[in-house]
């Protein structure tokens, strides 16, 4: 609130929210970030804000609420940055998986894989992992093996520090 310019206030608040979350205060982080949503008029900045907020919300709010917020944000940013939208969809799908809604998780991550530029990156690898996990829960072991065996080397090469906490948390 000490920043005069709205963009400075937003940037500093996002940094503070991230610090609170990393410092073990997810509830405070989520509330702080929610308080500046109206300042995030740029869809890309808003998506980044919501991504940080989602990580904080994961342990303080119902997972399904976090998943739906990420899905709405992915829809909002899709026209401006399809790769960012795909990443948010992956996180939303992962959250749905964590909420025991495997069918919805699979549907969402398959949508993420249809986004431009996703076919060869870590988003694709992690999305296929969600598909494999969802099918494993359903007992479709042959499908799990068909999807997951080609992913083994790619999964071993994913840099956990380069991924969002929500995504990494689902696979560790």
């Amino acid at each position: 609130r000490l920043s005069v310019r709205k963009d400075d206030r937003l940037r500093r608040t996002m940094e503070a929210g991230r610090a609170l979350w990393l410092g073990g205060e997810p509830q405070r982080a989520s509330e702080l970030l929610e308080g500046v949503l109206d300042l995030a008029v740029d869809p890309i900045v808003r998506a980044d804000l919501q991504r940080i907020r989602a990580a904080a919300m994961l342990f303080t709010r119902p997972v399904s609420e976090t998943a739906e917020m990420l899905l709405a944000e992915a829809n909002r940013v899709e026209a401006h940055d399809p790769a960012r939208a795909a990443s948010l969809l992956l996180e939303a799908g992962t959250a749905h998986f964590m909420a025991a809604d495997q069918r919805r998780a699979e549907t969402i991550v398959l949508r993420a894989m249809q986004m431009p530029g996703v076919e060869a990156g870590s988003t694709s690898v992690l999305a296929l992992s969600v598909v494999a996990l969802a099918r494993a829960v359903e007992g479709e072991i042959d499908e799990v093996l068909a999807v997951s065996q080609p992913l083994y080397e790619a999964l071993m090469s994913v840099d956990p520090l380069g991924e969002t906490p929500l995504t990494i948390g689902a696979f560790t």
Side-chain angles (χ1 to χ4, degrees), residues 14 23 27 41 45 48 51 60 88 91 97 108 148 156 170:
M14 286 174 67
Q27 182 68 37
V41 293
V45 173
D48 292 344
R51 173 176 273 144
T60 62
L88 289 166
E91 292 177 37
F97 181 85
I108 291 170
S148 63
M156 294 298 107

Side-chain angles (χ1 to χ4, degrees), residues 22-33:
L22 290 171
E25 297 193 47
Q27 182 68 37
R28 282 184 60 202
S30 176
E31 291 168 0
L32 179 69
L33 295 169

Side-chain angles (χ1 to χ4, degrees), residues 30-96:
S30 176
E31 291 168 0
L32 179 69
L33 295 169
E34 187 174 17
V36 294
L37 271 173
D38 61 323
L39 298 178
V41 293
D42 178 286
I44 293 171
V45 173
R46 182 183 165 98
D48 292 344
L49 169 67
Q50 292 287 66
R51 173 176 273 144
I52 298 167
R53 188 169 160 242
M57 288 173 58
L58 190 59
F59 299 104
T60 62
R61 304 284 274 277
V63 177
S64 58
E65 181 181 328
T66 304
E68 290 306 315
M69 186 266 293
L70 287 164
L71 184 58
E73 211 55 51
N75 291 335
R76 185 177 287 113
V77 78
E78 182 176 0
H80 306 279
D81 189 340
R84 189 173 259 108
S87 181
L88 289 166
L89 286 171
L90 172 61
E91 292 177 37
T94 302
H96 274 290

